[in-house]
Amino acid sequence: MQRYSYIIGLFFLITYGVNAQLSPDCRNAIPICADAPLPITISTADGNGDVDDFDPDVIRETGCLQKGSVASANIENNTVWYVFRAGTDGQVGFNIEAITLTAEWDFAVYGPDVTCTEISAGADPILCNYEVNDTSFTGSGVNPENGQVGMPNLTQSLNTYDEWLNVTAGEIYYILINNFSNSADPEPFTFTFTGSSVDADQNTAIDCTLRDEFLGLDIDACVGAEDIVLSALRSPAGNDIASVVWSVDYDDDGVIDATNLTGSGPNAAELVIPTITANTGRYFVTITTASGTPPTVVDDGGILVTFFEAPVFDEVSTLETISSNISEGINANTVEIIVDDASGRGSYEYALNPIDIDNPEYQDNPIFTDVPPGINTVVINDKNGCGTTIEEFLIVGYPKFFTPNNDTFHDLWNVLGIETLDNASVFIFDRYGKLLKQIGEIGGWDGTFNGTPLPSSDYWFRLEYTEVEGGVAVNKVRKGHFTLKR
């Protein structure tokens, strides 16, 4: 079976007008509302989008939704995206009703407050249903046709209803709706909000002011990803357009920095924001209507487009070196992971030496304690889904003791990571300051002096090396002590 895109008629279409352009793309998801008593069915629309929200070569499933069997298919293909903002706290559900016998509707709900960038990067939906519909309805809550109660999705459970959504006022949710059907023609369906919040007051249950923000919700985008397209065709004016003027406030400080930006398409009704130039800013549009009723339409709040990018590893700064209690008796370090300032347009999280490199446990703080000498691995992830960087770095340190008894364990002593230093040498002394050995990056000290084993005791060392600071080579010295055990 193939997937086909079709259209929903929703409450808000009464206000928007039938000429409003519907969207197959998450970034331009259509706001929906619950301020009218009956759903409206629209049977003409094209759900095929120019933007693939899910890369078919990377994201082959999202929750219970799966990539189609056709090679060119995509999870996003033949879908329609909607968005709503909860107006009150409480319980919300919805019914999707098939109007034709051949339609097979599926859905996924994302939120709360997840961005489209995070969704396309693989964020899991909180509700999802891909089951074969044996009734005319699917949705969240209770099936009005047979009283079937929603439950967490379970593949092949044949339950076409998911649980209620427990929402908090102000939370934003995205809904992806898809038709899995053999039909070659567009098929209509209706969408109705349900639940205790809607029963209490359908005019406030869903925040209907979201419809006035027709440019859409603020967008977090990745540098170098798909270009962003803003559309004026979703305004209450629909296609009633004589002219369109685009403007931008790059600093989002209330001052317009540029106007008459070059739009595209009929009446310049679309604005393409290339992600290669990545111009963060709040964008506005003013529409002059052809009919003059009303004369102009403006999205007063505009839409803030913020660009983020994958982290670029710069360096690791050692903040502190202390004695560790771990069994090997080596130094533990406090380090800070530093991201390149030339990039850095991101909200980053960090993981050090994760057990599962594919599923690390992140922390927001770039500072780590108890970092052992030697090679360590850091994973830096952009929370906006713009990329992950994995780097290895080496901490210079030294064992606090060694046991040269030829058992192949801790038989030699040397500075760990010395091979990464320039012009490095280590000088080893006894407690009286007598030089016992000079070693370099190869090998180590075996606890002897002129071939004679030395007794168990504490010994001192001086590490000398060269480090470039501001283009100038500077001689560095580090001192410490360790224990020889026999």
Side-chain angles (χ1 to χ4, degrees), residues 245-456:
V245 175
W246 294 94
S247 58
V248 62
D249 173 4
Y250 288 122
D251 299 318
D252 196 23
D253 58 1
V255 178
I256 297 297
D257 297 300
T259 190
N260 291 319
L261 303 178
T262 303
S264 62
N267 300 311
E270 292 185 334
L271 180 68
V272 178
I273 305 175
T275 61
I276 193 66
T277 54
N279 291 322
T280 289
R282 186 173 293 277
Y283 292 79
F284 299 88
V285 65
T286 300
I287 303 167
T288 301
T289 64
S291 66
T293 307
T296 59
V297 177
V298 180
D299 184 339
D300 291 328
I303 180 172
L304 179 62
V305 180
T306 305
F307 286 96
F308 299 97
E309 57 189 319
V312 178
F313 175 81
D314 185 8
E315 63 173 339
V316 173
S317 174
T318 301
L319 304 180
E320 183 182 18
T321 299
I322 61 175
S323 296
S324 172
N325 293 323
I326 59 179
S327 60
E328 285 79 7
I330 61 177
N331 281 358
N333 303 270
T334 297
V335 304
E336 180 178 9
I337 311 300
I338 299 175
V339 174
D340 185 8
D341 288 338
S343 59
R345 289 194 294 182
S347 178
Y348 302 132
E349 55 188 1
Y350 309 82
L352 187 67
N353 299 325
I355 297 175
D356 183 356
I357 196 71
D358 296 321
N359 188 31
E361 295 185 9
Y362 290 109
Q363 66 179 47
D364 292 334
N365 193 342
I367 296 176
F368 292 87
T369 60
D370 295 329
V371 181
I375 295 176
N376 294 269
T377 301
V378 62
V379 183
I380 312 171
N381 179 60
D382 175 49
K383 295 180 182 179
N384 305 285
C386 292
T388 299
T389 297
I390 301 175
E391 292 284 345
E392 289 186 341
F393 64 91
L394 193 145
I395 293 293
V396 175
Y398 61 96
K400 297 294 290 182
F401 67 84
F402 78 121
T403 55
N405 55 9
N406 296 319
D407 65 353
T408 72
F409 295 102
H410 311 298
D411 283 334
L412 295 177
W413 184 95
N414 203 345
V415 172
L416 302 176
I418 189 175
E419 66 275 10
T420 66
L421 303 175
D422 293 331
N423 304 317
S425 292
V426 178
F427 301 89
I428 299 174
F429 306 88
D430 65 14
R431 67 176 58 201
Y432 304 107
K434 179 180 179 180
L435 178 64
L436 303 175
K437 184 71 174 180
Q438 178 181 350
I439 55 178
E441 65 179 64
I442 299 176
W445 185 43
D446 62 2
T448 65
F449 178 66
N450 291 334
T452 301
L454 295 178
S456 297

Side-chain angles (χ1 to χ4, degrees), residues 57-79:
D57 295 325
V58 178
I59 307 297
R60 302 186 66 84
E61 62 181 287
T62 174
C64 68
L65 301 182
Q66 300 176 351
K67 182 182 182 298
S69 58
V70 179
S72 61
N74 192 330
I75 299 170
E76 182 265 351
N77 201 39
N78 298 324
T79 58

